[in-house]
Amino acid sequence: MIAETVCSAVSAAGLGIAAVTAYRKRFLAAARIAAYSLVPIGLVMTGVVEWVADTAFSVTAWAGVGVLGASWLLFSATRAVERRRGGTRKERKAARSAQREAVAPAASAPSLGPSTRPASRPAAAPRSESADDFSDIEAILKKHGI
């Protein structure tokens, strides 16, 4: 009974604020305020407020809310882990098969994989003339007509 009285008072106050807003020639805002202020009285008339009041004091209802919260936490945690791993199982399987296809046709090892060459490379032979240093650059410039 108290909940219905409070909802009726809130609706009446909201309609009063909507009337003042309409008096100030802000009709769109007044209509929006009136719409919001009619919601509590509508909830009372449909019986939702009584149902909520009965549910609020039920131990079983609160246990159900706890179960729903635990379910939501588990769902969120699994989604977060899935994002860190790189997607769903189907996406990871597709990525692995794409990585296997990255092998060149005649190669025995993946073309993007680790190198099989020894870590130490032989030192490059020193160039005899300084003109050889710019021969590649000159060839490129001549090719482009510069």
Side-chain angles (χ1 to χ4, degrees), residues 14-36:
L15 289 173
I17 292 170
V20 170
T21 306
Y23 179 76
R24 293 181 179 171
K25 306 237 186 259
R26 298 183 63 212
F27 299 110
L28 185 62
R32 192 174 298 124
I33 292 169
Y36 282 125

Side-chain angles (χ1 to χ4, degrees), residues 99 102-104 109-115:
Q99 187 178 19
V103 178
S111 57
L112 299 176
S115 176

Side-chain angles (χ1 to χ4, degrees), residues 49-63:
V49 173
E50 184 179 343
W51 176 78
V52 168
D54 290 341
T55 305
F57 297 110
S58 171
V59 175
T60 306
W62 283 109

